[in-house]
C-alpha cells in the first residue's frame, strides 16, 4: 500500500470516478466519454498526462470488456462485427507503426487534427439523422452492414482507438444506422471492443507503453470496475429504447464537440 502514498486522495478519487464512468459505459450506459479528457486534466504527472492516461486506461478497458461480456454474451451479432475486423487489424497496425512508438514512429504528430476530424464527422452524423427523423421522416430505413462500410469504419476505429481511445463516435456511426435493440447494440459493441483492445494490448506491451506503476494503480482501483459495469447494465436495462437512442445520439454529439474543443486547444 506504500505505493499509493505518492497520490493524494483527490488523485485517487478522480481516477476511481473515471474508471467507474468507463465501467458504466462498458455496461451499456453511454456516460464514459468524458473519462479520458477528464483524467488528462487531473492526472498527477501533467508533463506526460495524455500519454500516461492512454497507457493506463488500456488494461482497465480490457478488464471492463471481460466483465461487460458476462452480461451481454448472449446479445452479440457476429454478422455485424465480422465486417469490421480485417480493416481494424490494419488500422491498429498502421497507427502503431506511424504514431505510437517513440523509437520507430514514422510520423511525429499529435492527435489534435484527428480528434477535430472525428468530432466534425460525429456532429454531421447526428445532424444528418436529426434531419431524417424530424424533417424527412425516413428513419425507419435500416442500413445493413457490408464489407465497404465495415472496412471504412473498422479502419478508422483501429486508428483512432490506438492513438487516443477515441473510437466511440466511429463505432456508433457504424452501429446506430442498423437500428439494433439496445441490448444487441451494446453486446455487439462489447465483443468488438474486446477484440480491438486485445490487439492494442499486444502492440502497446511490445512497445513498452504499459508500465508497472500504472498497472499497480489500476490494480488498486480494480473494485470500482465491476461495480461500474453492473451499474451501467442495470441503467441500460431500465431505460426505454426511445430514450436510450436519444441518449446515444446526445452523448455522440457531446463527445464530438469535446473532441473538437480538445483538438483546437491542444498545443501542437
Amino acid at each position: 500500500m506504500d505505493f499509493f502514498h505518492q497520490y493524494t486522495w483527490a488523485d485517487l478519487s478522480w481516477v476511481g470516478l473515471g474508471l467507474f464512468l468507463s465501467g458504466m459505459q462498458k455496461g451499456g450506459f453511454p456516460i464514459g466519454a468524458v473519462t479520458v479528457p477528464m483524467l488528462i486534466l487531473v492526472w498527477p504527472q501533467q508533463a506526460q498526462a495524455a500519454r500516461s492516461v492512454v497507457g493506463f486506461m488500456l488494461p482497465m478497458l480490457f478488464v471492463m470488456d471481460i466483465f461487460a461480456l458476462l452480461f451481454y454474451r448472449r446479445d452479440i451479432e457476429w454478422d455485424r462485427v465480422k465486417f469490421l475486423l480485417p480493416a481494424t487489424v490494419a488500422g491498429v497496425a498502421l497507427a502503431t507503426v506511424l504514431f505510437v512508438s517513440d523509437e520507430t514512429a514514422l510520423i511525429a504528430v499529435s492527435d489534435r487534427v484527428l480528434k477535430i476530424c472525428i468530432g466534425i464527422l460525429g456532429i454531421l452524423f447526428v445532424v444528418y439523422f436529426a434531419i431524417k427523423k424530424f424533417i424527412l421522416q425516413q428513419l425507419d430505413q435500416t442500413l445493413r452492414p457490408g464489407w465497404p462500410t465495415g472496412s471504412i469504419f473498422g479502419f478508422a476505429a483501429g486508428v483512432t482507438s490506438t492513438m487516443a481511445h477515441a473510437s466511440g463516435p466511429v463505432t456508433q456511426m457504424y452501429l446506430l444506422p442498423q437500428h439494433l435493440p439496445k441490448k444487441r447494440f451494446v453486446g455487439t459493441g462489447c465483443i468488438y471492443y474486446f477484440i480491438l483492445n486485445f490487439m492494442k494490448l499486444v502492440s502497446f506491451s511490445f512497445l513498452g507503453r504499459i508500465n508497472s506503476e500504472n498497472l499497480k494503480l489500476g490494480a488498486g482501483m480494480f473494485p470500482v470496475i465491476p461495480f461500474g459495469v453492473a451499474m451501467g447494465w442495470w441503467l441500460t436495462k431500465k431505460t426505454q429504447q426511445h430514450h436510450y437512442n436519444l441518449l446515444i445520439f446526445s452523448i455522440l454529439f457531446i463527445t464530438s464537440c469535446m473532441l473538437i474543443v480538445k483538438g483546437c486547444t491542444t498545443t501542437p
Side-chain angles (χ1 to χ4, degrees), residues 139-260:
L139 259 182
D140 56 337
Q141 298 177 358
T142 300
L143 300 181
R144 299 294 301 175
W147 286 112
T149 303
S151 297
I152 292 172
F153 285 106
F155 182 80
V159 171
T160 55
S161 185
T162 302
M163 291 184 63
H165 304 321
S167 62
V170 176
T171 53
Q172 288 170 1
M173 283 187 279
Y174 173 76
L175 289 174
L176 279 172
Q178 299 176 33
H179 290 196
L180 296 173
K182 59 183 180 182
K183 291 183 68 176
R184 294 280 177 172
F185 178 88
V186 178
T188 303
C190 281
I191 192 61
Y192 175 68
Y193 281 117
F194 173 81
I195 297 171
L196 172 58
N197 285 328
F198 178 77
M199 297 179 195
K200 290 156 56 182
L201 270 175
V202 173
S203 62
F204 274 48
S205 299
F206 180 75
L207 296 171
R209 289 290 305 274
I210 299 175
N211 61 59
S212 58
E213 287 197 359
N214 283 344
L215 288 176
K216 290 178 182 178
L217 177 60
M221 297 285 102
F222 178 81
V224 176
I225 292 176
F227 183 59
V229 174
M231 179 63 72
W233 173 82
W234 183 81
L235 288 173
T236 299
K237 183 178 179 181
K238 296 296 182 181
T239 305
Q240 295 182 6
Q241 182 74 45
H242 171 73
H243 295 153
Y244 183 81
N245 290 342
L246 180 61
L247 182 62
I248 288 285
F249 278 108
S250 300
I251 295 296
L252 174 58
F253 182 81
I254 294 170
T255 304
S256 299
C257 290
M258 290 173 59
L259 287 173
I260 294 174

Side-chain angles (χ1 to χ4, degrees), residues 22-122:
S22 289
M24 290 181 66
Q25 174 93 15
K26 292 294 185 178
F29 201 73
I31 198 171
V34 300
T35 298
V36 171
M38 178 188 74
L39 288 181
I40 289 174
L41 292 175
V42 301
W43 197 252
Q45 297 84 28
Q46 277 296 305
Q48 295 289 329
R51 179 182 178 84
S52 186
V53 168
V54 171
F56 166 74
M57 284 300 297
L58 179 55
M60 301 299 100
L61 293 173
F62 185 70
V63 173
M64 292 175 195
D65 290 329
I66 295 174
F67 279 102
L69 285 174
L70 296 177
F71 289 102
Y72 292 103
R73 63 188 181 279
R74 295 187 179 90
D75 299 300
I76 298 170
E77 295 203 8
W78 286 101
D79 286 345
R80 319 278 178 168
V81 178
K82 68 180 182 181
F83 299 111
L84 293 168
L85 294 180
T88 299
V89 175
V92 171
L94 181 65
T96 299
V97 172
L98 295 184
F99 305 109
V100 175
S101 171
D102 288 337
E103 293 79 14
T104 63
L106 301 180
I107 303 177
V109 298
S110 69
D111 59 359
R112 61 193 303 266
V113 174
L114 185 61
K115 287 179 179 177
I116 294 172
C117 292
I118 295 298
I120 292 174
L121 287 175

Side-chain angles (χ1 to χ4, degrees), residues 1 4-17 221:
M1 294 300 294
F4 293 98
H5 290 166
Q6 63 182 298
Y7 300 101
T8 66
W9 280 107
D11 293 335
L12 296 176
S13 297
W14 281 114
V15 173
L17 176 61
M221 297 285 102

